[in-house]
Amino acid sequence: MDKNNQFGYHAWLQPRVIESLPGFTLSGLEGFAYDECKKGIARLTGGKPGNTNIELSISDTLTHEAYTITGSFDGISIAGGGESGLLYGVYGLLARLSQGQTQFDVTEKPATSRRILNHWDNIDGSVERGYSGKSLFFKDGQIAYDPERLHDYARLLASIGINQICINNVNVYFQSAQLITQKLPDVARIADIFRPFGIKLIISVHFESPALLGGLETSDPLDEDVANWWKQATAEVYKHIPDLAGFLIKADSEFRAGPMSLGRTQAEGANVIAKALKPFGGMAYWRCFVYNCMQDWRDTVTDRPKAAYNYFKPLDGDFDDNVMLQIKHGPSDFQVREPNSPLLGAMDNTRQGMELQVTQEYTGQQKDLYALAVQWEEIFEHPVTSTSKTRDLVGNKIEAVVAVANTGSDANWTGHLLAQANLYAFGKMAWDPTLTAAQVTKEWVALTFGTNPQLFDPMVDMILSSRAVYEKYNAPLGIGWMVNINHHYGPSVDGYEYMKWGTYHRADTKAIGVDRTSAGTGLTAQYHPYVRDMYEDKKTCPEEIMLYFHRLPYNYRLKSGQTLIQYIYDTHFEGVDDVKGFIQTWESIKEHMPIDAYTPVRQRLDAQLKNAEEWRDVVNSYFYRKTGIADEKGRKIY
Ligand code: GCW
């Protein structure tokens, strides 16, 4: 089947003629936004003639990416602060028209000027933690792409406000390191595709590039030759891509080289690259995923979640002003449930961005349905201090919202059709972190499937409940990591337990969990006192995250009166039942959607059910065997 005809290719920009719309004419500023408006209107009206005018203009009173939409079917005005704002205004109008809006009095501006996707794409065409086929950018060691598809991809991303993308994996190997030396004309062509959509490229670079590519003896950031190498190489990059947003660097992390191995600080490492980017207005995005991945599991003092704060907080103020620390949202690694990273909002003199993951590495790998928006809403709702929440990006000096992409060469972009909702939600919530999961999910369903209530309500409910369902059959109460090692799909309770990765639940016959309070590893002390106190005390620690901070006996009574062990049993049985409910829901709405939407999702739900059953039986049996405590309800445990 032609990919463009398969349901899902157009995602939330479905060609769907809406009979109630009038015909439109366009006037005002001609250019890219105007053309996009024309195409979008044709998509929604089928080119119906009419005389409702849409006027496009630039307004000096708005910031570059901001826009206003005013008017009604008597006439509509879109004004953008700049070209990007105008384009966002066009997409904003089209989305509102698709959802049946008829009157417009909208002013929008993004909460942050950096809304970024990171692709973990390798030059051989594979995608690290990718579950949607192959790379959109690379193949067999070369830059290779379908220009039409990339153009459509750029439109999808721009329509949800994404304005920067890193095209290659943060794990940079030799060939991808060469992107900044050998392959610049090709990278520049990709930049050309994204540019009109207001999207700038980022390139992941290898920290040891001076040695690896330049033949220098060292990559020591304090070495003058090294600094000069970065300056020259970067100048060359900017000759080809003058508007490159910057470089992304994963250093001293999971066997990647970095300044630490050369006796230098993270700041010294970041600044040498930042100085090379500075004349061109580029940013050094420096990841904070630095921890000891060679820990002895017998070591109960080292606590991996403390690592990022320990390394970076003392350096607050040492980073150049074009370094942006890129901090994973939680102190572990994209688990189903984590507290926020204590580093977020903790540095007054350092620029910071928050990294999320749209790709579902630990959250079902786009086989299982998982509404990330629900989790992100909690992350944004998380207190940084008693008066401020993470969603106050400006107040907490969080200047970028970044996510690892979930897209690839699959016809529907995201593998699981409903995983498109996660990409959509990311763009919308990065633009406006006050949006709720319910709001963005409803928008996505309306734009993708329409608003027929017989389909709309059940689908919205199913998607919104999916995070809680996955959590039920996964590791309990925030403890995380009970996954199969390496590939991270499916259960393995002790898979990481005797390993070097610093991820332990330390379950014995009586209790489970690591005490991270002041009586234990002291992670709590890294938080603002308000948050610290909340986590310190079992009475105030939110129950769903209890096992992240406290070691509990299996007979610990939760607020419901249930014991911990019974909670584990119950949630794991419920999780499976809930997935069966998803299948029923999907069957009940089958007739209201195209068959090529129904079938692939049904197949994935069947796979999800198997996975949930495996989780239920492995986790329940593990704890039954450890504790010898029977299920109160007498259900079968193996
Ligand atoms: O958890 C790990 C992932 C790696 C990833 C790393 C990171 C790109 O399993 O695949 O590497 O996180 O975020 O750097």
Side-chain angles (χ1 to χ4, degrees), residues 14-325:
Q14 284 299 317
R16 184 184 299 112
V17 173
I18 300 169
E19 300 300 339
S20 57
L21 287 180
F24 292 96
T25 54
L26 260 63
S27 67
L29 188 70
E30 293 192 17
F32 191 77
Y34 187 98
D35 295 344
E36 282 294 287
C37 193
K38 209 165 160 183
K39 285 182 204 154
I41 289 297
R43 167 166 69 80
L44 299 182
T45 65
K48 183 174 184 172
N51 54 12
T52 298
N53 188 53
I54 303 173
E55 198 199 359
L56 284 76
S57 64
I58 299 284
S59 159
D60 297 336
T61 57
L62 297 168
T63 51
H64 179 66
E65 293 187 306
Y67 67 85
T68 58
I69 309 173
T70 48
S72 67
F73 289 162
D74 294 332
I76 298 170
S77 298
I78 309 175
E83 280 180 35
S84 290
L86 187 58
L87 188 63
Y88 294 142
V90 165
Y91 295 134
L93 174 66
L94 295 170
R96 286 172 176 85
L97 291 174
S98 302
Q99 293 173 81
Q101 204 169 315
T102 56
Q103 303 268 344
F104 308 94
D105 184 12
V106 179
T107 304
E108 283 270 352
K109 73 170 183 349
T112 166
S113 61
R114 291 162 198 273
R115 305 170 300 278
I116 308 174
L117 270 188
N118 284 181
H119 287 268
W120 284 356
D121 291 19
N122 299 313
I123 306 290
D124 66 3
S126 63
V127 180
E128 182 156 346
R129 311 305 178 190
Y131 313 105
S132 315
K134 298 285 188 187
S135 171
L136 291 167
F137 308 105
F138 309 113
K139 195 180 170 192
D140 300 335
Q142 301 297 331
I143 294 189
Y145 52 87
D146 170 350
E148 186 195 328
R149 195 173 157 97
L150 267 202
H151 185 84
D152 291 345
Y153 184 51
R155 175 182 294 116
L156 280 178
L157 298 188
S159 74
I160 52 173
I162 287 166
N163 65 0
Q164 295 185 16
I165 58 165
C166 182
I167 57 171
N168 63 315
N169 191 355
V170 288
N171 287 330
V172 179
Y173 304 98
F174 184 66
Q175 278 186 319
S176 58
Q178 288 181 320
L179 284 178
I180 59 167
T181 49
Q182 308 293 313
K183 299 189 163 70
L184 284 169
D186 286 334
V187 179
R189 277 190 276 276
I190 297 182
D192 291 344
I193 295 179
F194 284 89
R195 185 173 296 111
F197 290 97
I199 298 171
K200 292 180 178 168
L201 298 199
I202 300 169
I203 304 174
S204 289
V205 297
H206 198 296
F207 182 74
E208 286 187 318
S209 294
L212 201 66
L213 305 173
L216 302 192
E217 270 170 27
T218 176
S219 294
D220 181 347
L222 299 193
D223 183 290
E224 209 178 308
D225 292 341
V226 168
N228 285 332
W229 187 89
W230 277 113
K231 282 188 181 141
Q232 278 164 21
T234 305
E236 193 58 30
V237 171
Y238 274 86
K239 271 190 207 153
H240 291 265
I241 311 151
D243 58 352
L244 188 85
F247 293 150
L248 171 62
I249 308 105
K250 171 176 178 176
D252 284 319
S253 172
E254 300 185 329
F255 312 109
R256 316 306 303 160
M260 242 151 56
S261 50
L262 299 161
R264 307 300 182 199
T265 68
Q266 296 296 307
E268 287 164 336
N271 291 348
V272 71
I273 301 177
K275 286 195 167 59
L277 288 159
K278 180 79 179 172
F280 309 100
M283 183 68 77
Y285 293 99
W286 187 266
R287 292 179 88 233
C288 298
F289 192 48
V290 180
Y291 68 97
N292 175 14
C293 65
M294 295 294 281
Q295 187 176 334
D296 184 339
W297 60 268
R298 300 167 192 84
D299 167 5
T300 55
V301 177
T302 307
D303 191 18
R304 170 171 160 179
K306 292 172 67 180
Y309 185 98
N310 282 346
Y311 283 119
F312 287 92
K313 168 77 179 171
L315 299 175
D316 187 16
D318 290 357
F319 292 92
D320 282 5
D321 65 1
N322 63 326
V323 174
M324 184 162 299
L325 296 187

Side-chain angles (χ1 to χ4, degrees), residues 120 128-129 169-171 250 253-254 256 287 289 291 304 328 332-335 355 357 361-362 404 481 486 488 496 501:
W120 284 356
E128 182 156 346
R129 311 305 178 190
N169 191 355
V170 288
N171 287 330
K250 171 176 178 176
S253 172
E254 300 185 329
R256 316 306 303 160
R287 292 179 88 233
F289 192 48
Y291 68 97
R304 170 171 160 179
K328 286 192 183 184
S332 289
D333 187 14
F334 302 133
Q335 302 297 294
E355 184 179 306
Q357 207 184 34
E361 177 178 356
Y362 293 94
V404 184
W481 296 112
N486 300 330
H488 300 162
Y496 273 97
W501 298 97

Side-chain angles (χ1 to χ4, degrees), residues 257-431:
M260 242 151 56
S261 50
L262 299 161
R264 307 300 182 199
T265 68
Q266 296 296 307
E268 287 164 336
N271 291 348
V272 71
I273 301 177
K275 286 195 167 59
L277 288 159
K278 180 79 179 172
F280 309 100
M283 183 68 77
Y285 293 99
W286 187 266
R287 292 179 88 233
C288 298
F289 192 48
V290 180
Y291 68 97
N292 175 14
C293 65
M294 295 294 281
Q295 187 176 334
D296 184 339
W297 60 268
R298 300 167 192 84
D299 167 5
T300 55
V301 177
T302 307
D303 191 18
R304 170 171 160 179
K306 292 172 67 180
Y309 185 98
N310 282 346
Y311 283 119
F312 287 92
K313 168 77 179 171
L315 299 175
D316 187 16
D318 290 357
F319 292 92
D320 282 5
D321 65 1
N322 63 326
V323 174
M324 184 162 299
L325 296 187
Q326 192 165 306
I327 307 166
K328 286 192 183 184
H329 68 79
S332 289
D333 187 14
F334 302 133
Q335 302 297 294
V336 174
R337 171 97 43 193
E338 292 185 40
N340 278 12
S341 168
L343 198 54
L344 283 170
M347 292 172 292
D348 289 334
N349 302 302
T350 305
R351 303 179 75 175
Q352 343 167 18
M354 175 170 58
E355 184 179 306
L356 306 167
Q357 207 184 34
V358 198
T359 197
Q360 293 170 240
E361 177 178 356
Y362 293 94
T363 53
Q365 305 199 350
Q366 281 126 263
K367 290 195 186 85
D368 297 26
L369 180 62
Y370 188 101
L372 281 156
V374 174
Q375 187 169 3
W376 297 335
E377 189 181 326
E378 291 161 3
I379 290 168
F380 286 130
E381 182 64 19
H382 193 287
V384 179
T385 68
S386 60
T387 52
S388 150
K389 297 186 166 164
T390 315
R391 75 162 50 99
D392 172 16
L393 300 178
V394 177
N396 290 306
K397 299 195 158 34
I398 299 170
E399 294 183 61
V401 184
V402 186
V404 184
N406 66 347
T407 41
S409 62
D410 281 359
N412 69 8
W413 305 98
T414 55
H416 199 314
L417 178 63
L418 303 187
Q420 288 183 358
N422 288 331
L423 182 58
Y424 182 83
F426 170 68
K428 300 299 280 194
M429 291 170 94
W431 177 283

Side-chain angles (χ1 to χ4, degrees), residues 489-501:
Y489 187 76
S492 176
V493 180
D494 278 343
Y496 273 97
E497 195 55 18
Y498 304 100
M499 299 284 286
K500 59 192 177 189
W501 298 97

